[in-house]
Amino acid sequence: MSKVASGKTTAPKAKLLDEFNASIMFDKELYLQDIEGSIAHVKMLSKQDIISNDARDKIIDGLAIIKKEIEEGKYQFNIADEDIHMSIESRLSTIIGDDAKRMHTARSRNDQVALDFRMYVLKSNKEIISLLLELERVLLNISKKHTKTLLPGMTHLQHAQPINFAYHMLAYVSMFKRDIERLEDSYKRNNISPIGCAALAGSPYKTDREYEASLLGFDSVSINCLDTVSDRDFALEILFNISTLMMHISRISEEIILWSSSEFGFVELSDEYSTSSSIMPQKKNPDVPELLRGKTGRVNGNLISLLTVLKGLPLAYNKDMQEDKEGVFDSVKTAKISVKILSEALKGMRIDEQAMLKATKKGHLSATDLADYLTANCGYTFRDAYKLTGEVVAFAEENSKDMSELNLQELQKFEPKIKEDVIETLQLETSMNARSSQGGTATCSTLAQLEYFENWMKKS
Ligand code: ARG
């Protein structure tokens, strides 16, 4: 049983209950936030003459010793202390004696845990953002080199129209930019202090919540204490943001896996970020992108878990809420390592421009250009042009050619009004560069997108 507070129940707790009830095994992750929160709290209490300056200083010195002990691995986490909050208070009592008992004035574990957990989530938001910015840098560096590298753009995983590789990479830059913005937005919305709400109804002491919040770097204090101690939206938001981010990581991973197969051969991961088979000596396996894709399942589970834990809870705090932490810790760790390893794997990835070009010559990627040519130059409606182009595709297939390889005579058999300039129109590079509308794949449009993202990065 905890030394700090035994309250109404006096009989010693069953050992099994200690094990079941405790969160210390995982919430020790919050030790730093707990110590910082307690320092700010006692500073506020002394400023408001609720405790003496002397008690404040003793508490702050004791907390510094505890921080050092934890960081040096000398601290004893004891399951009977239940959680990190009681553990630190208990250790503080041993170090400084009775003054430790003043630290919990005008607060409850309910606002304390809401504070610690929120601080952890806010810090994690920032850490993930900075890792994502590094990933964006890597993707932009790859993009800069490949604004003219042709590859088949696909829909339904079928060759559709020629695009360039930078354009493809910039699609991911766009996704990760949204992930960054979501995390920033979430940070702003949740940078509100819960401390001072106490158990559920606020406190009878003359506390200064604004002051305490400012010491901890919050923008403001929460409005309604009943909501504050039972609010875990900030945790749900980071879980959702991580799920979305991991879904994006999973999609690029899927492409890397496909692209590194012999069927595609577009890219090759460096040996450093590949693994080998234990039985087939010729194999090089894309374990990194496969694991990234696989881990997405677990972070989605964490989001659904917390939504489910919270859905039926009456106000305010309920012990169910102790189940909020493990999933968040797990998702945050997963997101951090995933973004890092994806950046590193991309840095060393070899890009085979020739293989991409070769693939572009399969699938008549300039078929839409012929239909557009017939519509613009030969008096066809688009639907009739579409139909005639279908016949040209069948002819090219029969003759084992790509449409871009047909000569003028062959094309004129279908429509005598077709002129010499059609040959240029059907070239894959011309086709790619024809799509120069805003946001299109033409090299000039791609360069404009690159510039947009680089300017955004400079401001981030
Ligand atoms: N370990 C608890 C948690 O993580 C701390 C809050 C406990 N509050 C309470 N009234 N039992 O949720």
Side-chain angles (χ1 to χ4, degrees):
M1 187 170 46
S2 165
K3 279 193 279 172
V4 180
S6 50
K8 191 176 169 190
T9 55
T10 45
K13 297 277 171 286
K15 184 149 184 344
L16 194 58
L17 176 60
D18 269 352
E19 250 173 63
F20 185 67
N21 201 32
S23 52
I24 187 84
M25 307 75 78
F26 51 86
D27 68 15
K28 58 186 179 190
E29 182 88 33
L30 299 175
Y31 81 91
L32 202 57
Q33 289 78 14
D34 200 73
I35 289 173
E36 282 171 13
S38 289
I39 291 174
H41 192 62
V42 294
K43 283 186 180 167
M44 184 281 291
L45 292 176
S46 72
K47 180 180 94 64
Q48 297 300 100
D49 286 330
I50 300 169
I51 65 169
S52 68
N53 291 350
D54 183 51
R56 174 199 63 198
D57 294 343
K58 276 196 199 142
I59 291 171
I60 293 177
D61 291 347
L63 289 171
I65 295 170
I66 292 175
K67 177 169 177 278
K68 198 157 174 278
E69 285 176 351
I70 296 177
E71 284 166 359
E72 288 174 355
K74 292 180 185 147
Y75 190 88
Q76 277 278 316
F77 291 100
N78 184 354
I79 205 158
D81 283 328
E82 198 179 318
D83 58 27
I84 188 66
H85 326 294
M86 308 253 259
S87 168
I88 289 180
E89 197 180 324
S90 157
R91 178 72 189 129
L92 189 67
S93 288
T94 311
I95 300 174
I96 68 165
D98 275 355
D99 277 319
K101 295 179 186 160
R102 301 184 195 283
M103 182 168 74
H104 210 54
T105 317
R107 78 174 180 189
S108 141
R109 269 190 302 157
N110 296 352
D111 58 341
Q112 193 179 357
V113 73
L115 172 71
D116 295 2
F117 195 29
R118 190 178 281 256
M119 282 167 66
Y120 169 88
V121 165
L122 291 173
K123 174 175 85 83
S124 303
N125 264 32
K126 278 198 175 161
E127 288 165 352
I128 299 171
I129 289 172
S130 93
L131 292 168
L132 277 171
L133 286 170
E134 172 58 15
L135 174 61
E136 293 287 55
R137 250 169 247 129
V138 173
L139 287 167
L140 288 172
N141 279 338
I142 297 176
S143 304
K144 268 185 238 161
K145 295 183 203 129
H146 293 284
T147 55
K148 293 182 176 164
T149 306
L150 287 172
L151 84 161
M154 307 212 186
T155 62
H156 312 270
L157 201 62
Q158 303 289 323
H159 288 204
Q161 289 174 346
I163 59 173
N164 67 70
F165 191 60
Y167 183 64
H168 201 117
M169 288 295 102
L170 292 179
Y172 285 107
V173 172
S174 311
M175 293 178 221
F176 295 127
K177 175 173 178 281
R178 287 197 295 277
D179 292 327
I180 291 171
E181 288 164 349
R182 251 188 295 274
L183 288 161
E184 286 172 345
D185 183 47
S186 190
Y187 186 95
K188 275 187 225 129
R189 182 173 28 267
N190 293 305
N191 195 15
I192 292 173
S193 172
I195 196 68
C197 281
L200 73 161
S203 157
Y205 292 90
K206 296 271 164 285
T207 54
D208 184 344
R209 289 190 65 202
E210 302 273 353
Y211 173 72
E212 191 166 347
S214 75
L215 291 180
L216 292 167
F218 287 104
D219 289 339
S220 60
V221 298
S222 66
I223 304 296
N224 175 290
C225 291
L226 192 61
D227 167 50
T228 307
V229 289
S230 58
D231 169 25
R232 292 295 180 271
D233 293 2
F234 60 95
L236 287 172
E237 281 189 32
I238 199 166
L239 288 174
F240 173 78
N241 292 341
I242 288 175
S243 277
T244 309
L245 156 64
M246 287 301 292
M247 178 268 289
H248 293 150
I249 289 183
S250 187
R251 290 183 77 172
I252 195 171
S253 297
E254 170 67 13
E255 301 217 273
I256 294 171
I257 295 162
L258 284 172
W259 290 342
S260 21
S261 68
S262 327
E263 282 69 23
F264 281 83
F266 289 2
V267 300
E268 190 185 347
L269 289 169
S270 68
D271 287 354
E272 223 190 335
Y273 284 96
S274 305
T275 49
S276 45
S277 156
S278 59
I279 175 166
M280 295 165 280
Q282 84 285 12
K283 287 199 75 197
K284 185 165 171 181
N285 292 333
D287 285 25
V288 167
E290 285 172 346
L291 258 179
L292 289 172
R293 192 178 54 184
K295 283 179 188 294
T296 309
R298 195 150 45 87
V299 303
N300 287 351
N302 291 335
L303 170 62
I304 300 299
S305 278
L306 186 56
L307 281 168
T308 312
V309 166
L310 294 171
K311 73 175 264 297
L313 298 185
L315 297 180
Y317 179 85
N318 299 265
K319 187 78 168 188
D320 315 43
M321 289 164 74
Q322 182 165 287
E323 288 293 310
D324 58 3
K325 291 171 207 64
E326 285 161 290
V328 170
F329 295 157
D330 178 54
S331 284
V332 165
K333 276 179 205 146
T334 304
K336 279 162 59 177
I337 180 101
S338 299
V339 175
K340 239 189 254 173
I341 204 154
L342 177 61
S343 301
E344 290 308 311
L346 284 170
K347 274 187 210 164
M349 186 173 80
R350 198 177 62 78
I351 293 154
D352 190 335
E353 300 182 13
Q354 287 313 312
M356 289 184 185
L357 185 63
K358 209 166 146 215
T360 314
K361 291 184 180 148
K362 281 186 218 149
H364 315 286
L365 299 187
S366 47
T368 322
D369 301 86
L370 179 60
D372 289 336
Y373 180 94
L374 292 166
T375 311
N377 304 301
C378 308
Y380 280 67
T381 62
F382 183 76
R383 274 293 159 236
D384 288 339
Y386 173 95
K387 193 158 166 274
L388 187 68
T389 304
E391 290 167 28
V392 179
V393 168
F395 171 83
E397 288 275 298
E398 277 158 32
N399 291 277
S400 310
K401 284 186 178 183
D402 184 69
M403 175 171 288
S404 60
E405 293 162 347
L406 295 177
N407 62 37
L408 185 60
Q409 290 72 24
E410 287 168 321
L411 288 162
Q412 281 177 335
K413 273 194 219 134
F414 290 90
E415 172 49 62
K417 280 189 229 140
I418 289 177
K419 297 213 183 69
E420 179 67 40
D421 59 349
V422 76
I423 301 299
E424 180 58 27
T425 305
L426 296 186
Q427 294 315 296
L428 298 161
E429 198 177 334
T430 317
S431 166
M432 184 266 283
N433 279 320
R435 288 172 177 75
S436 56
S437 58
Q438 199 178 4
T441 189
T443 298
C444 63
S445 300
T446 304
L447 285 167
Q449 293 163 44
L450 242 172
E451 196 187 322
Y452 168 84
F453 288 121
E454 286 190 322
N455 285 335
W456 165 72
M457 286 286 287
K458 274 184 215 144
K459 284 184 241 134
S460 297

